[in-house]
Amino acid sequence: MKRLALFLFLLFASEIGSFDLYIEEAPDSADLGDLLEEFQPSFRDRRSADNEDDEQTLSADSIILQSYKVESTITSHFANTMIRSKIVNNAKTSKSLVFDIQIPKGAFISNFTMNVNGIIFSGSIKEKTEARSLYSKARARGKAAGLMRTNTLDMDKFKAELTVPSGSKVEFEIHYQEVIRRNLGVYQHTVYLQPGRLAKNFEVDIYILEPQGISFLNVPGTVNPEYAPLIQQTKGDQKAHVSFKPSVDQQRSCAQCSTTAVDGKIIVKYDVNREQSSKLQVFNGYFLHFFAPENLPPLPKNILFVIDVSGSMWGLKMKQTVEAMKTILEDLRPDDQFSIIDFNHNIRCWKDELVYASDLEKEDAKQYVQKIQPNGGTNINEALLRAVYILKEASGFGLLDPNSVSLIVLVSDGDPTVGELKLSKIQKNVKAQNRDEFSLHSLGIGFDVDYDFLERLAQENNGMAQRIYGNLETAAQLKEFYKKVSTPLLKNIEFNYPLTGISDVTQDKFHHYFGGDEIVVAGKIKPENVSPLQSIVSATSANAGVLFDTIADAEELNAFFEETKHAFPDFAKQYWAQLRINQLLAERNLVSTAEAKRNITKSILLLSIEHHFVTPFTSLLIESENGNERMLADAPKDAKAGCCQTLVVSKKDPPAIPPSFELVSPTPPSEVVGNGTDIMIISPNQTPDVKTEAKQPTGRVPFIGTVDDDPHFIINLPLSQLDICFNVDAQPGNILNLISDPESGITVNGKIVPAKKEKNGKQNTYFGTMGVYFKQQNVKVEISTEKITVKDETYTRVMSWSESSTMTLNRVTLSVKKNGNITITVNEHLSFLVLLHRIWKKHPVNVDFLGLYIPSDDTFSSSAHGLIGQFMNEPDASVYDLRPGQDPKKPIATMNVNGEKLIVTRGNQKEFQSHNGMATEVPCWFVHNNGKGFIDGHYKDYIVPHLYSFFKRP
C-alpha cells in the first residue's frame, strides 16, 4: 500500500501566477492505510463494499470523478464561490488524485477541506506564528504537513494532489470570496473549470441577486464555442441564474474519447439599474454605499504620457506600446491637453508644454512615437519630475481649465538604472513635487518589473497601478487601461454621513470618478441606530459643484433576502471587511515608521481572523478532527511570479507518479512545430509521414542574433520565420569576430576563456572579454567580467560592475546596470546589450562570462559580416521533411540554406535576455559541426588578432 504523498512538483507559468501548495521539506508521515486504520479500523473490511458501490461509475479500474460542482452566489456584486470535487480510486493500485483550480486575483480564500474516506481535514484561520507553531509540532510527530502559498498575477492557481490506496474516496472543497469591481460599465464574474477528466455529475450554478435590479445579463465566454447552447440563463428583475450541466457524452473531447473537453472558463457580465446615481444598502448591521453617476459631461483632461524607451523595451514591447499609443492619441477629445515624455538615460519631450488635442497635433504626436528607438538606461526619477514640472507650470500660468483633471500616465518595464536609483527617494521626490495636485497612474510592462514600487507611486499620488503582461496582447491591455481613465466625470468626491449611528467607515474621499466605474464606501451601523441612514456626496463636475442626497431604511432589504433562497447573508459584512483589509494593506505600504506598520498589521490580523480570510499575516491551518494531521496555508507578503508548486501527502521518499496518471490528456510528451496555421505534433511513440515545410512562429526572440553561455549562438531569421542555433568549440585565447561593419565603422569581437577544469571529459569555453570599436567616433570599449574600460585618443574611463552608472563619449552612450548588463548605444539608434554572468566564487568548474544580444530593429550596412553580423542580410532558408531522430524527443529535418542542404535537429538553447540571470529555453533548429554550412566558411575563419580588429574575408 503506497504512502500518503508529500512532495514538490514544479510547474513553470508563462503569463500567469499561481496559488500553490508548496512543501518546504518532505517530513516523515504515516502510511495512508495506517492513517485510515487509526481513524476507522474497519476500513480494510469495508473496501470491497465500497468497490461494489462503484459498479455504476463510468469505467472500471480507473480514477473516477464522481462529481464536479461549482456554485457562485453573487449578492450585491459580492461573490461567494464554492468548488467541490468528489473522486474515487476505482483502480486496483494506489493512484494520485488531483484537485486543480484557478481563482480570480483579488479573491480571498476562506476555507479548504478534504474528506478522505470519512476522515475530514478542515481549515481554521490562525495568526501566522501560532499556526506555524502547530504546524511544527505536527512535523515533529512525523505527521502530514504542508505549506500552501500564493503568487500575485492575473489569477491564482490552487493545486492539491493526494496519493491514495485502491478503493479510497476523496472529496476536495474550497471556498473563496471576492468583491466584483465595476469596470467600463459592467461587473464581470469568471469561473474557471478544470475537472481534469470526465465527471459523472457536472454542475455549475451562478446565482445573481441584485436589490437594485439587473439591467442586462450576458455570458460572452464559455469553455469553448460548442458549449454555448448548454449555457442556461434566466433573468428576472432582481435575480438571475446561469447554469452549465453537460452530460458525460457532452463533456467528451470526441465521440469515443475518454478525455474531457471541459478546460476553460465561464464569464458572466451584467450591470444593475441606475435609476439613482447614489444607492445605499443596509443589512445585518452594515451599510454599503454604491456611487456610479452617469449622463454627466466629461471633465476636460490634461494628460502627460511618460514612456520608458530604455534598451529593455526592445522588440515586441516597444512595438505594442507604439501601436497602443497611436490609438490612445486618436481618442483624445478636442478640449483635452496633452504631451509626451519619452525617457531612457536622457529625458526628451515631444512638446515642452501641453497642447490641445487637435487633429494636426495628434497626427504629429503619432509620427513622433512611431520613430522612437529604445536604447540606453532608465531614469524614472527625472522623467516623472519633468512631467510634474510641466503640469505645475501650466497651472501656474493659468493655462488649465479650473474644472479639468490632470493625469500622468507612466509606462515602464524596468527599475531605474540612471540618476536616482533609490526607490524610496524617487517616491519621496515625486510626492514632494506633486503635493496631491495631479494623479499618477503606473503601468508596469512584463514580469520582471518592480510592480510594488510602481503601485506605491500610484497610491501615493491618487492614481491606479496595473501590470501589463509583455506579450502579443500588450497593446490591447494598454488601450483597456486608458479607457478606464479616459472619461473623468467628477473630481474631489467626498462622502458625508451622520456623526452618530455609524462607525468604521472605509475610505470616503476620492480624487476622481471615471465613467463606467463605481465608488464603494462601507461601514458599520451601531446597534442602537434604528433611524434611516442618510448620506450626502459632494463633488465637482464639468459645469459646477454637485450634491447627491441618499436615504436608506435599515429594514429595507430584510424582506427581499428572507424570500431569496440563494442569498449569501454575510455579503455586507464580508464586503466591508475586504474593502477595509485592502485599504489597510495599501496604507501599510505608505507609512514610514515601524510603530505605524505594527498598528496597521495588528488591525489586518484581527480582521482576517474574524472574517476568516487568508492574508499576508494569517495562515489557514488545515487539520484532521483530532488535530493529529495538519497542513498549513500561507499567503506570503511578497509573492512573486515564478514556479508553481504542488502539495500532496507521502513519506520522505515520495514515489514517482504512476505512468497511467493523467492530468489532462493521455498524449505523451510531444514536440510541436508549426507556423501558426499547420501544426504537427511529434510524439515519442509516433513516426510522422510528413513532406510539408515546417516553420516556427515569428517573434520567438526579440533580437536578430545572440551569443551566450559556452558559447552558443541563436540567429533569428524573421523572413523565414526560423530560429537557428549553433555552437562554436573555440580554443582559449581565440578572439572571434562577432560583428564587422566596415561601412559603418563598427566591429565587435569576443575573447575566449576556459572553464576551470573539464566536466564530463570536456572543457567548456566562454567569452570572458568583449571589445567594441566605433571607428568613426574613435571610441573603444573593452568589457571584461571585472570592469568596463572606455577610451578615445585623449580620454580613458573605467566603469565598475558594482554600481549602476552612465556616460556619453563622442555620441557613444554606455549605461551599466549594477552587476547585470551594459547597454552601448551609438548615435541614439544602434545598440548592443552585453550581459554579465556571475558564477559562485568558489565554483569548482565554471567561470564568470559575458553574453551579447543584438536587437532585431538595429540596422547595419550591407557590408556587415562576422559570426552574427553576416545574418543582418538574411539568407534564403527553409526547413522541411520533418522526421524522427535517434532521440524521439528531438526530431530532425532538412534545412535548405541558399541552395545547400543540411540535416538539423530540433532542440533548445539558453537565452538570458528576457530574464537576466535566469535562462529561457528557446526552441530552435540546431546546426551541427560548429555551424558548418550555415555560416560562411569555417568558424576559424573568424579568428582575428586583436579585440578591435575588423574581420577580413578569406
Side-chain angles (χ1 to χ4, degrees):
M1 190 177 298
K2 291 195 175 179
R3 309 177 181 216
L4 195 36
L6 181 50
F7 67 93
L8 179 69
F9 176 87
L10 296 176
L11 172 66
F12 287 97
S14 60
E15 296 298 333
I16 62 172
S18 60
F19 188 97
D20 312 319
L21 285 168
Y22 171 67
I23 307 311
E24 292 183 313
E25 180 179 335
D28 292 333
S29 68
D31 183 279
L32 181 55
D34 298 334
L35 175 64
L36 296 175
E37 288 186 344
E38 179 181 345
F39 289 93
Q40 297 176 312
S42 61
F43 168 70
R44 295 181 188 275
D45 298 334
R46 297 184 337 197
R47 182 175 299 170
S48 58
D50 287 337
N51 285 337
E52 290 175 4
D53 292 340
D54 294 332
E55 286 178 354
Q56 296 180 352
T57 55
L58 300 179
S59 61
D61 195 25
S62 61
I63 295 175
I64 304 300
L65 179 57
Q66 288 188 325
S67 69
Y68 188 87
K69 181 174 179 59
V70 180
E71 183 174 297
S72 277
T73 299
I74 303 172
T75 310
S76 291
H77 22 286
F78 184 85
N80 182 54
T81 302
M82 178 274 296
I83 302 178
R84 181 190 299 132
S85 180
K86 293 182 179 180
I87 311 173
V88 61
N89 179 11
N90 200 40
K92 297 178 181 179
T93 59
S94 295
K95 294 288 184 179
S96 293
L97 307 184
V98 67
F99 181 61
D100 188 352
I101 65 167
Q102 290 177 352
I103 298 168
K105 181 185 175 181
F108 284 11
I109 285 184
S110 57
N111 207 353
F112 171 68
T113 62
M114 287 193 311
N115 185 331
V116 184
N117 290 305
I119 305 169
I120 298 174
F121 292 78
S122 58
S124 59
I125 298 293
K126 304 286 186 184
E127 188 273 329
K128 230 169 196 179
T129 305
E130 177 188 358
R132 285 185 177 276
S133 175
L134 293 169
Y135 167 71
S136 298
K137 290 177 182 178
R139 287 177 52 152
R141 293 200 310 269
K143 299 297 183 179
L147 178 64
M148 184 163 62
R149 309 187 70 173
T150 64
N151 283 331
T152 53
L153 292 178
D154 264 350
M155 62 190 75
D156 296 331
K157 188 170 185 177
F158 179 96
K159 189 168 185 174
E161 187 175 332
L162 190 68
T163 300
V164 296
S166 170
S168 296
K169 296 180 179 179
V170 178
E171 179 178 299
F172 299 102
E173 185 173 308
I174 193 167
H175 293 252
Y176 62 88
Q177 299 172 358
E178 63 173 322
V179 169
I180 304 178
R181 299 284 188 179
R182 189 169 186 253
N183 181 23
L184 298 176
V186 298
Y187 302 102
Q188 178 174 306
H189 179 60
T190 303
V191 173
Y192 298 92
L193 305 177
Q194 297 173 307
R197 59 190 69 247
L198 297 174
K200 185 177 181 182
N201 297 299
F202 196 112
E203 298 181 21
V204 178
D205 289 290
I206 302 171
Y207 300 97
I208 303 173
L209 310 169
E210 291 289 351
Q212 285 181 251
I214 301 171
S215 62
F216 77 88
L217 174 71
N218 185 23
V219 186
T222 59
V223 179
N224 60 51
E226 289 106 13
Y227 285 134
L230 300 182
I231 301 293
Q232 302 297 314
Q233 303 178 45
T234 58
K235 175 187 167 300
D237 292 337
Q238 297 172 300
K239 303 175 186 177
H241 178 214
V242 176
S243 66
F244 174 56
K245 300 179 181 180
S247 66
V248 173
D249 286 339
Q250 290 169 332
Q251 295 170 50
R252 298 182 190 276
S253 53
C254 69
Q256 304 300 320
C257 292
S258 60
T259 54
T260 180
V262 181
D263 185 7
K265 58 190 176 184
I266 292 178
I267 299 173
V268 177
K269 293 185 176 183
Y270 73 95
D271 198 12
V272 300
N273 294 327
R274 300 287 169 185
E275 297 174 359
Q276 296 174 297
S277 298
S278 179
K279 182 67 176 178
L280 276 167
Q281 294 183 10
V282 180
F283 191 70
N284 276 358
Y286 292 83
F287 77 84
L288 298 174
H289 191 171
F290 303 109
F291 182 73
E294 296 183 345
N295 301 318
L296 294 171
L299 295 164
K301 59 182 177 288
N302 318 299
I303 186 165
L304 266 169
F305 300 99
V306 182
I307 305 172
D308 182 350
V309 296
S310 61
S312 56
M313 288 286 288
W314 274 330
L316 191 59
K317 287 181 186 177
M318 196 71 249
K319 182 180 179 181
Q320 294 275 306
T321 301
V322 169
E323 178 188 334
M325 280 301 304
K326 289 194 290 187
T327 301
I328 289 168
L329 291 168
E330 188 60 40
D331 288 342
L332 291 172
R333 301 182 182 91
D335 58 351
D336 293 336
Q337 295 190 71
F338 78 105
S339 190
I340 300 168
I341 295 173
D342 59 300
F343 71 96
N344 46 26
H345 48 281
N346 295 318
I347 313 301
R348 291 178 294 272
C349 298
W350 166 64
K351 301 273 184 167
D352 289 325
E353 68 283 331
L354 295 169
V355 298
Y356 281 99
S358 66
D359 290 342
L360 184 63
E361 297 287 13
K362 289 192 293 187
E363 186 60 35
D364 187 60
K366 285 189 281 186
Q367 291 180 15
Y368 178 81
V369 298
Q370 183 68 54
K371 295 176 182 178
I372 289 175
Q373 295 293 326
N375 62 80
T378 309
N379 194 340
I380 292 178
N381 184 69
E382 289 300 322
L384 290 176
L385 293 182
R386 178 74 63 85
V388 173
Y389 174 80
I390 291 174
L391 287 173
K392 289 175 74 74
E393 186 179 49
S395 178
F397 283 116
L399 302 177
L400 304 184
D401 186 324
N403 285 338
S404 65
V405 170
S406 295
L407 315 170
I408 298 170
V409 177
L410 169 66
V411 181
S412 180
D413 78 330
D415 298 336
T417 61
V418 179
E420 179 57 62
L421 303 180
K422 193 173 182 181
L423 301 184
S424 60
K425 181 65 173 176
I426 296 174
Q427 290 173 234
K428 185 177 179 180
N429 291 343
V430 175
K431 178 74 172 174
Q433 292 298 313
N434 188 13
R435 297 181 180 178
D436 289 335
E437 291 185 51
F438 320 117
S439 63
L440 168 61
H441 304 278
S442 302
L443 302 179
I445 297 182
F447 294 95
D448 50 355
V449 65
D450 192 332
Y451 182 70
D452 290 341
F453 162 63
L454 295 180
E455 189 173 42
R456 289 193 298 271
L457 267 178
Q459 289 172 349
E460 286 186 335
N461 295 279
N462 303 300
M464 296 182 287
Q466 183 169 317
R467 189 190 291 273
I468 302 295
Y469 300 102
N471 55 30
L472 293 174
E473 300 301 321
T474 297
Q477 295 173 70
L478 287 168
K479 288 183 279 190
E480 177 86 1
F481 178 84
Y482 173 73
K483 287 180 183 179
K484 296 179 184 178
V485 299
S486 64
T487 312
L489 300 182
L490 296 172
K491 60 187 288 188
N492 302 327
I493 306 103
E494 185 171 345
F495 290 71
N496 298 281
Y497 302 97
L499 297 177
T500 58
I502 65 171
S503 65
D504 298 292
V505 178
T506 59
Q507 180 183 347
D508 57 6
K509 293 181 177 63
F510 301 86
H511 213 60
H512 301 136
Y513 167 73
F514 298 96
D517 202 351
E518 181 177 61
I519 296 176
V520 184
V521 179
K524 294 180 179 179
I525 303 290
K526 293 183 179 179
E528 63 273 16
N529 183 25
V530 294
S531 60
L533 177 65
Q534 182 177 14
S535 169
I536 296 177
V537 181
S538 62
T540 301
S541 72
N543 300 322
V546 292
L547 293 175
F548 300 85
D549 191 352
T550 311
I551 298 178
D553 192 292
E555 305 296 326
E556 181 179 349
L557 295 181
N558 289 356
F560 173 74
F561 286 114
E562 283 176 1
E563 63 184 31
T564 300
K565 178 180 179 182
H566 296 286
F568 176 51
D570 287 333
F571 78 95
K573 173 184 176 182
Q574 297 299 85
Y575 201 128
W576 171 83
Q578 286 207 17
L579 284 183
R580 186 70 183 138
I581 289 172
N582 283 326
Q583 288 173 10
L584 287 171
L585 288 169
E587 289 175 21
R588 190 178 183 276
N589 285 335
L590 304 180
V591 297
S592 56
T593 67
E595 183 180 2
K597 283 185 182 291
R598 283 195 298 270
N599 291 335
I600 294 175
T601 301
K602 183 178 179 181
S603 298
I604 297 171
L605 175 61
L606 293 174
L607 283 170
S608 303
I609 293 174
E610 179 184 354
H611 295 269
H612 216 266
F613 292 141
V614 178
T615 67
F617 307 106
T618 57
S619 296
L620 180 63
L621 189 71
I622 304 166
E623 56 188 338
S624 57
E625 292 172 308
N626 65 1
N628 281 356
E629 306 293 328
R630 292 192 177 111
M631 291 175 285
L632 182 66
D634 279 343
K637 169 186 171 185
D638 187 23
K640 298 292 185 181
C643 298
C644 313
Q645 297 89 23
T646 305
L647 159 100
V648 240
V649 196
S650 175
K651 281 230 178 182
K652 196 162 188 177
D653 298 319
I657 296 177
S660 60
F661 174 64
E662 301 162 2
L663 282 179
V664 179
S665 168
T667 305
S670 306
E671 178 69 31
V672 181
V673 294
N675 60 7
T677 304
D678 299 313
I679 297 179
M680 176 166 54
I681 301 177
I682 307 299
S683 299
N685 299 324
Q686 178 183 359
T687 302
D689 182 15
V690 181
K691 300 297 181 183
T692 58
E693 183 175 325
K695 294 184 179 180
Q696 64 189 95
T698 59
R700 293 298 298 270
V701 288
F703 42 80
I704 193 70
T706 175
V707 58
D708 214 327
D709 211 7
D710 58 347
H712 60 241
F713 292 75
I714 307 175
I715 305 298
N716 177 235
L717 305 179
L719 297 180
S720 303
Q721 303 179 26
L722 296 169
D723 291 331
I724 309 299
C725 303
F726 61 93
N727 291 350
V728 169
D729 295 325
Q731 298 302 308
N734 286 166
I735 299 175
L736 297 177
N737 178 253
L738 304 174
I739 298 173
S740 181
D741 189 351
E743 186 174 325
S744 301
I746 299 172
T747 188
V748 182
N749 299 303
K751 186 175 182 179
I752 296 293
V753 296
K756 294 176 183 176
K757 62 180 182 180
E758 292 185 354
K759 181 180 180 181
N760 299 326
K762 179 185 176 182
Q763 186 174 41
N764 288 334
T765 56
Y766 308 87
F767 282 115
T769 305
M770 288 190 180
V772 186
Y773 179 29
F774 301 98
K775 187 175 182 179
Q776 294 177 6
Q777 291 75 25
N778 195 23
V779 173
K780 295 179 179 179
V781 184
E782 180 177 331
I783 307 161
S784 73
T785 57
E786 302 298 326
K787 61 184 178 181
I788 301 104
T789 305
V790 190
K791 57 186 176 182
D792 64 7
E793 287 183 343
T794 60
Y795 176 88
T796 299
R797 177 181 170 181
V798 176
M799 305 174 75
S800 173
W801 283 112
S802 62
E803 62 179 359
S804 296
S805 59
T806 186
M807 69 164 290
T808 300
L809 178 64
N810 302 344
R811 302 190 308 280
V812 176
T813 299
L814 298 94
S815 180
V816 178
K817 185 174 182 180
K818 181 180 178 181
N819 290 324
N821 60 60
I822 178 172
T823 303
I824 308 171
T825 306
V826 59
N827 295 330
E828 296 191 353
H829 73 276
L830 197 152
S831 300
F832 305 92
L833 179 69
V834 178
L835 263 59
L836 171 67
H837 297 273
R838 288 281 191 219
I839 304 302
W840 172 40
K841 191 173 183 179
K842 295 184 180 180
H843 196 289
V845 177
N846 295 338
V847 293
D848 294 349
F849 64 94
L850 304 172
L852 174 69
Y853 293 79
I854 311 299
S856 57
D857 51 359
D858 276 3
T859 54
F860 293 83
S861 75
S862 58
S863 63
H865 209 73
L867 284 168
I868 295 177
Q870 63 186 289
F871 299 105
M872 304 302 171
N873 303 305
E874 182 173 330
D876 182 16
S878 62
V879 175
Y880 59 95
D881 192 18
L882 188 66
R883 53 201 185 274
Q886 292 183 351
D887 184 342
K889 295 182 180 180
K890 295 181 178 181
I892 63 175
T894 301
M895 182 170 73
N896 189 319
V897 185
N898 292 331
E900 183 174 351
K901 294 181 180 180
L902 305 172
I903 302 301
V904 292
T905 303
R906 187 66 171 167
N908 292 300
Q909 287 282 40
K910 293 180 180 179
E911 175 263 311
F912 297 84
Q913 187 255 356
S914 300
H915 301 281
N916 191 14
M918 294 177 59
T920 298
E921 296 288 344
V922 176
C924 60
W925 293 105
F926 187 82
V927 181
H928 302 273
N929 300 322
N930 295 292
K932 185 178 179 181
F934 179 61
I935 64 172
D936 184 10
H938 193 277
Y939 92 85
K940 292 183 179 180
D941 298 335
Y942 297 85
I943 297 175
V944 293
H946 305 292
L947 271 178
Y948 307 116
S949 298
F950 281 84
F951 171 71
K952 295 181 180 180
R953 297 196 185 192

